[in-house]
Amino acid sequence: MNPPTTDETLSALDPSPAHLQQLLDEVGQRLAAFVATVDQQPAQAAGDFDPQASWLREPIPETPSAPGELLDFIFEQVIPVAFNSASPGYLAYVPGGGLFSSALGELIAATVNRYTGKWAAAPAAVELETQFLRWLAELMGLPQGSLGVLTSGASMSTLIALVAAREKYLGDHLLEGTVYYSSEVHHAVIKAARVAGIPTRNLRPIPVDTRFRLRADRLEEAVRRDRKEGRLPFFICGTAGTVNTGAMDPLAELADIAAQHDLWFHVDGAYGAGFRMLPELQPLFKGMERADSIAMDPHKGLFLAYGTGALLLPDMSNLRRAFSASGAYLPASQEDDKHLDFCELSPELSREWRGLRLWLPFKLHGVAAFRQALGEKRRLAVQAWQRLSLEPDVEIAAPPELSLFAFRQRFEGITREEENRRNQALLERINRSRRIMITGTEINGRYFLRICILHLRTHEAILNEGLDLILAALAEARKRF
Ligand SMILES: *Cc1c(COP(=O)(O)O)cnc(C)c1O
């Protein structure tokens, strides 16, 4: 029997093994071509979206299409029209990755479709995921016995942590609970508090110091005041790597305050926590080991494709208290709390075998490879900061603690609004090259550009090219005004 060709359609839902192999080859060829050319592709092309494209109005496809044609369509017409978050020039927001070994794990997990909501349904697969969580908790410095749960991202991790803390400290007294975080916090924390039922009037953004770190003295004042006035302080969120400037909150001081006032101490390490794996940066994370929960995003700091976050905790009973539930139609839960039923640790029941996409890369590459890559990103960020610091009219919000910093161009004798507009124009000019993509933000009412170096494919050559582009745009603005 000849293997089928890609022109052959798939009228049956389950391809023959030979056809399956053929499909994988077709996909493999296109992925290899994508990766081979990724450094030549534009760093962003979302603006190329055509709202008139004919495929947007296609009717329901009742009959099969040729796989080869569909793959061409996806790779040629859909994938390019985007921020290219797989490209080395992607220095925007907090870059994700697209680690191929992780994609392999996802492909395997989806094909064999192991159910990991309950331990009993796939004990070995769940244990493999648990093993990864144990490794990650250890890398983050949490005490022995710490575990956690893999989520879709830090937003979900934060929500889970907040609900666990709420259950532990507030019970039914939701409306009195107060939550503390720095004024530089990621909006995901505010959203999580809202979803967890905490009234907006009970959210306490705490001022930051000149390096954008939460001021512990002001935090303590706020906690005391709320308690005196009869409210129930219960949750402190410290950030390890803020999204605007990469600031590291004073985690050890926050841990002290949490211990002294009996509060839940959460660390938002969505962007930054991965850097704790670098021995030279560990001192910055002092205090994180005392957290009640840490949110970190493998889809940022471990270079994975979007869709994988992690929540790590020293005491899993806090999650069980909040999320345990069961039905007679389900496999039995584990009595022994060493065996995790993931459905008792988060709002989810059915879930994919999320762990394989992390366990496989750790084993295949070894953790040293991740450390080395993170060290490179850190070095490149320091280089970029040093080079831009030499420009007399460039103001840098704060030096990079990890791998991101914000900067803007200053002009004499104009209003703040005009200066903001000029910096916005600067960003547009830089991004118009499509070789790199950076983003902007507002800090204290001023518009800043930010560079975040975290993509697995960002190496020295593209960074230097990007810096040349930035320096040329700065020079042009100087000439023009
Ligand atoms: C990205 C990010 C978040 C949100 O994480 P998601 O994975 O996008 O849900 C929260 N906090 C910080 C500091 C972040 O960088």
Side-chain angles (χ1 to χ4, degrees):
M1 190 183 79
N2 288 330
T5 72
T6 41
D7 295 335
E8 234 167 275
T9 58
L10 274 166
S11 52
L13 290 180
D14 202 19
S16 68
H19 203 168
L20 180 151
Q21 184 71 58
Q22 172 87 30
L23 289 166
L24 284 178
D25 288 348
E26 280 287 330
V27 172
Q29 277 166 24
R30 283 165 175 87
L31 289 176
F34 177 86
V35 172
T37 60
V38 74
D39 58 347
Q40 297 310 315
Q41 296 164 16
Q44 52 110 359
D48 294 352
F49 176 71
D50 173 13
Q52 305 304 327
S54 57
W55 63 266
L56 289 169
R57 287 178 302 279
E58 240 179 52
I60 297 168
E62 279 298 335
T63 53
S65 307
E69 282 170 28
L70 291 182
L71 290 173
D72 287 344
F73 166 72
I74 295 165
F75 277 85
E76 288 163 17
Q77 294 193 53
V78 181
I79 291 170
V81 187
F83 299 164
N84 195 344
S85 36
S87 113
Y90 193 74
L91 315 174
Y93 306 104
V94 176
L99 191 69
F100 185 68
S101 51
S102 173
L104 281 181
E106 282 195 58
L107 177 67
I108 295 168
T111 306
V112 304
N113 195 29
R114 289 300 175 255
Y115 184 94
T116 62
K118 280 277 184 181
W119 186 89
V126 170
E127 287 297 338
L128 189 129
E129 187 162 329
T130 307
Q131 185 178 59
F132 173 81
L133 288 162
R134 186 157 39 240
W135 295 338
L136 196 61
E138 188 177 328
L139 288 167
M140 293 303 109
L142 287 175
Q144 224 188 346
S146 298
L147 288 170
V149 62
L150 295 177
T151 66
S152 58
S155 299
M156 188 52 76
S157 302
T158 309
L159 174 63
I160 293 171
L162 253 160
V163 171
R166 188 196 76 191
E167 289 288 311
K168 176 171 176 180
Y169 284 99
L170 303 183
D172 293 337
H173 301 281
L174 247 66
L175 300 181
E176 287 103 280
T178 48
V179 172
Y180 307 81
Y181 45 74
S182 96
S183 54
E184 288 289 305
V185 80
H186 193 283
H187 75 272
V189 176
I190 299 165
K191 179 168 155 187
R194 191 169 77 221
V195 177
I198 307 304
T200 310
R201 63 172 187 274
N202 290 3
L203 306 184
R204 300 281 181 271
I206 305 296
V208 292
D209 65 14
T210 53
R211 297 271 299 268
F212 306 99
R213 298 172 295 204
L214 190 153
R215 281 186 53 184
D217 55 332
R218 301 292 292 272
L219 168 67
E220 188 149 29
E221 277 168 33
V223 169
R224 286 186 194 283
R225 188 166 50 242
D226 278 324
R227 212 161 252 160
K228 205 165 127 221
E229 293 172 4
R231 286 178 284 268
L232 301 175
F234 78 104
F235 191 90
I236 297 178
C237 172
T239 303
T242 60
V243 69
N244 270 345
T245 64
M248 295 287 296
D249 282 342
L251 301 177
E253 288 175 65
L254 303 191
D256 289 343
I257 294 174
Q260 196 187 336
H261 295 271
D262 187 24
L263 310 167
W264 184 288
F265 176 39
H266 174 75
V267 175
D268 178 2
Y271 152 60
F275 284 96
R276 192 190 182 277
M277 289 161 64
L278 296 178
E280 65 272 27
L281 293 185
Q282 261 179 32
L284 281 176
F285 293 87
K286 196 160 178 310
M288 190 165 84
E289 72 286 350
R290 286 189 276 154
D292 293 293
S293 54
I294 301 172
M296 70 136 352
D297 264 349
H299 66 205
K300 291 174 177 168
L302 295 178
F303 313 115
L304 262 63
Y306 297 120
T308 310
L311 180 69
L312 302 166
L313 308 91
D315 183 356
M316 298 294 282
S317 69
N318 284 319
L319 290 187
R320 287 199 185 85
R321 184 188 301 111
F323 297 105
S324 188
S326 72
Y329 37 81
L330 289 175
S333 295
Q334 298 307 298
E335 301 293 332
D336 174 355
D337 62 10
K338 295 222 164 17
H339 299 319
L340 302 184
D341 287 305
F342 289 125
C343 72
E344 311 227 321
L345 308 175
S346 93
E348 295 178 322
L349 174 56
S350 298
R351 70 199 289 282
E352 78 274 37
W353 183 12
R354 222 165 256 158
L356 192 58
R357 65 176 83 140
L358 281 156
W359 185 94
L360 188 63
F362 264 32
K363 291 288 287 182
L364 266 177
H365 308 295
V367 170
F370 287 86
R371 262 196 206 99
Q372 201 237 328
L374 285 165
E376 180 198 25
K377 307 317 161 197
R378 158 87 189 145
R379 259 192 324 280
L380 292 177
V382 171
Q383 269 176 34
W385 162 64
Q386 284 169 340
R387 201 156 154 204
L388 286 177
S389 303
L390 298 175
E391 300 297 303
D393 57 348
V394 167
E395 176 187 341
I396 295 185
E401 302 256 26
L402 304 170
S403 74
L404 95 78
F405 63 92
F407 68 97
R408 72 190 177 107
Q409 190 169 24
R410 275 199 308 223
F411 299 88
E412 298 290 330
I414 57 169
T415 62
R416 175 187 288 207
E417 287 67 34
E418 179 55 21
E419 192 171 70
N420 285 350
R421 266 196 296 281
R422 287 186 191 177
N423 276 284
Q424 256 161 327
L426 185 70
L427 177 79
E428 280 158 30
R429 214 155 31 241
I430 293 163
N431 284 342
R432 212 177 294 143
S433 71
R434 296 194 171 194
R435 288 297 293 157
I436 59 168
M437 177 177 175
I438 62 177
T439 45
T441 189
E442 204 184 282
I443 303 170
N444 296 330
R446 294 183 192 279
Y447 190 83
F448 274 77
L449 290 71
R450 14 176 335 285
I451 298 183
C452 184
I453 300 174
L454 197 59
H455 200 284
L456 109 127
R457 299 191 173 105
T458 303
H459 304 302
E460 188 150 359
I462 184 69
L463 184 71
N464 285 336
E465 197 184 325
L467 285 171
D468 287 342
L469 284 164
I470 293 170
L471 293 173
L474 288 165
E476 198 189 306
R478 250 170 243 140
K479 221 162 41 193
R480 211 144 56 91
F481 298 114

